[in-house]
Amino acid sequence: MILTKHYEIQSCDDIELDIKRENKLECKVCFDDEKQTKLCL
């Protein structure tokens, strides 16, 4: 079955552009939980 997970993580400030980030980073992951997963970095 295809699963969809939604994550929100704290972000860091952008030092180069001198931007303070207050919003969280959002990530959406979809995968088939019946198949073996392979980590790709």
Side-chain angles (χ1 to χ4, degrees):
M1 178 169 68
I2 301 294
L3 297 178
T4 301
K5 300 283 185 173
H6 182 260
Y7 298 99
E8 290 184 355
I9 60 172
Q10 289 295 114
S11 178
C12 60
D13 296 338
D14 189 322
I15 297 171
E16 293 176 355
L17 297 176
D18 195 27
I19 297 173
K20 293 249 185 217
R21 290 201 169 94
E22 298 177 6
N23 297 337
K24 292 185 176 185
L25 294 175
E26 296 181 26
C27 179
K28 181 179 176 184
V29 181
C30 300
F31 60 95
D32 186 346
D33 67 340
E34 296 176 2
K35 293 183 180 179
Q36 185 175 3
T37 57
K38 183 171 101 176
L39 181 61
C40 299
L41 299 175

